[in-house]
Amino acid sequence: MAAMAELISNSVQEMATNGQEPPVKYFSKGNDAGVLDAPVPLIEIPVVDLGLLTSPLTSAQELEKLKLALSSWGCFQVINHGMTSSFLDKIREVSKQFFGFPMEEKQKYSREADSIEGYGNDMILSDHQTVDWTDRLYLTISPEDQRKIKFWPENPKDFRETLHEYTVKLQETNDFLLRAMARSLNLEESCFLDQYGEQPLVTARFNFYPPCPRPDRILGVKPHADASAVTFLLQDKEVEGLQFLKDNEWFRVPIIPHALLVNVGDQVEIMSNGIFKSPVHRVVTNTERERNTLAVFCIPESDNEIKPADQLISETRPSLYKKVKDYVSIYFQYYQQGKRPIEAVKI
């Protein structure tokens, strides 16, 4: 058995730069094996305009679009989110600069063996685990007293300030969207926010995917759904890679450079009693171009009980999920085994 949470010695970036043959642990197994880089169709993901959601004249129509997006795909692209194109480009730039630094600079922020926080890649929890072709910088954003500033890069100089500004804005957007999701189901506006709590956990994951010599057999991220309530993804402006699973078929996500991709996680699927779908997604690799993305996960307070909203339970639609606390604690264990954690809380 591999040592619990053993660190991977090499970064994926180093292997790619040195032209190293990827070790066998990176190769997909079982149902995920096959030709991973085969062409797949493009999703027409709904685009939700926050400006239209706030206007009394257009909000009903936009709420219907939001509800349809989340009950069919579990995701949408959001525009008019209050952040300028140049600000989103600045976030992409600090991420790109960080991963472009020499290894000794990045290693100042290396994660500890038993924690996901900091710079590194997958924890190894078993000998049979498939490892993702990605290097990450994983940071706790909120509550602020839980931030581990030693993992927040001092270079680029404006990294910390830029990330803080971005995530403050996203938390406002998250609260707004949780209210809108409740309204779209004719629920009390605060219904989902009350479960989300006063001290939610917000984490950020900067992802760097270098070119991969075997995109037919190696994934950037293995198939999974998120443990969050809501996830925001700032995509690479030019390089695709994200794919969603629907009806046992993979679909690729288009890039809208200054939109944010939003998907609900397992905890909103539970709160909505299965009406909103927490989508399974993966990241494919390519041989030629690196890809940079930033995912921000908005996660309910761990002490809060998450359960289907009472108004969504009836004789014709019974509760589909058990009550659960601290869902994230069971999540990572299941994820690294390639299992869906939400199966453990289904009734």
Side-chain angles (χ1 to χ4, degrees):
M1 183 72 176
M4 187 65 174
E6 164 204 333
L7 287 162
I8 294 174
S9 51
N10 268 10
S11 80
V12 174
Q13 195 172 2
E14 277 182 309
M15 282 193 278
T17 304
N18 300 336
Q20 246 177 289
E21 182 62 28
V24 69
K25 63 189 169 196
Y26 287 93
F27 285 75
S28 291
K29 306 170 191 72
N31 297 338
D32 302 332
V35 185
L36 299 171
D37 59 347
V40 301
L42 196 67
I43 313 177
E44 293 300 324
I45 294 187
V47 176
V48 173
D49 184 323
L50 286 198
L52 296 179
L53 263 182
T54 49
S55 162
L57 291 174
T58 50
S59 64
Q61 194 177 349
E62 211 63 11
L63 274 177
E64 194 53 39
K65 192 195 286 187
L66 176 72
K67 179 182 171 182
L68 188 63
L70 293 179
S71 54
S72 54
W73 287 100
C75 62
F76 58 92
Q77 307 254 27
V78 68
I79 57 171
N80 259 340
H81 41 59
M83 287 178 273
T84 63
S85 300
S86 57
F87 180 63
L88 295 185
D89 286 344
K90 184 180 176 186
I91 296 158
R92 290 183 174 106
E93 190 52 36
V94 295
S95 173
K96 205 167 186 175
Q97 285 175 341
F98 173 76
F99 287 111
F101 285 144
M103 190 49 68
E104 55 270 25
E105 175 66 24
K106 291 184 293 232
Q107 282 177 335
K108 291 178 187 174
Y109 308 102
S110 287
R111 67 174 182 80
E112 287 149 6
D114 58 352
S115 166
I116 57 173
E117 188 135 7
Y119 169 72
N121 38 29
D122 281 357
M123 279 181 166
I124 300 297
L125 299 175
S126 92
D127 291 330
H128 309 294
Q129 184 179 327
T130 303
V131 181
D132 295 336
W133 186 263
T134 181
D135 293 331
R136 305 183 180 108
L137 176 65
Y138 194 101
L139 302 170
T140 297
I141 306 294
S142 179
E144 285 193 37
D145 61 4
Q146 288 180 30
R147 287 184 181 180
K148 295 179 179 170
I149 288 297
K150 66 179 182 178
F151 294 120
W152 288 52
E154 293 181 67
N155 287 310
K157 295 287 180 218
D158 50 357
F159 182 98
R160 293 179 174 183
E161 182 191 339
T162 304
L163 178 58
H164 177 76
E165 189 181 338
Y166 178 60
T167 50
V168 165
K169 184 66 193 166
L170 278 192
Q171 288 176 77
E172 291 169 8
T173 306
N174 176 67
D175 288 3
F176 178 83
L177 285 174
L178 283 171
R179 287 193 181 92
M181 288 177 201
R183 291 208 321 271
S184 79
L185 296 174
N186 298 314
L187 300 173
E188 195 66 45
E189 188 179 69
S190 63
C191 178
F192 295 154
L193 261 181
D194 289 345
Q195 293 198 45
Y196 185 66
E198 297 289 316
Q199 289 277 297
L201 175 66
V202 179
T203 62
R205 196 177 73 201
F206 292 84
N207 306 298
F208 177 80
Y209 305 97
C212 175
R214 292 298 306 275
D216 59 323
R217 293 291 314 280
I218 293 175
L219 287 167
V221 180
K222 62 181 85 64
H224 68 287
D226 292 341
S228 59
V230 179
T231 301
F232 294 88
L233 183 73
L234 181 63
Q235 295 208 75
D236 191 292
K237 267 180 94 167
E238 296 176 2
V239 185
E240 282 184 14
L242 181 64
Q243 298 184 350
F244 281 92
L245 185 67
K246 184 168 167 53
D247 302 327
N248 290 319
E249 187 179 1
W250 290 103
F251 293 83
R252 60 195 173 90
V253 175
I255 293 168
I256 303 177
H258 299 300
L260 296 170
L261 181 79
V262 181
N263 68 268
V264 294
D266 289 355
Q267 300 204 54
V268 158
E269 180 171 323
I270 293 167
M271 291 180 204
S272 71
N273 201 26
I275 295 172
F276 294 155
K277 305 291 186 283
S278 172
V280 172
H281 47 288
R282 69 181 186 181
V283 174
V284 296
T285 54
N286 75 84
T287 56
E288 290 169 17
R289 302 186 70 185
E290 65 181 48
R291 181 171 175 267
N292 281 274
T293 66
L294 169 57
V296 173
F297 303 95
C298 297
I299 299 163
E301 203 172 324
S302 62
D303 287 345
N304 279 16
E305 194 170 65
I306 303 301
K307 62 186 178 63
D310 292 338
Q311 303 92 311
L312 299 177
I313 299 169
S314 65
E315 282 184 22
T316 52
R317 190 181 181 90
S319 178
L320 301 177
Y321 305 91
K322 302 170 195 164
K323 297 173 182 177
V324 62
K325 280 187 181 181
D326 196 14
Y327 182 75
V328 172
S329 65
I330 66 163
Y331 176 84
F332 281 103
Q333 214 174 340
Y334 276 82
Y335 168 65
Q336 296 299 7
Q337 295 167 9
K339 296 177 183 172
R340 278 210 71 182
I342 202 165
E343 297 299 325
V345 297
K346 282 188 176 171
I347 291 173

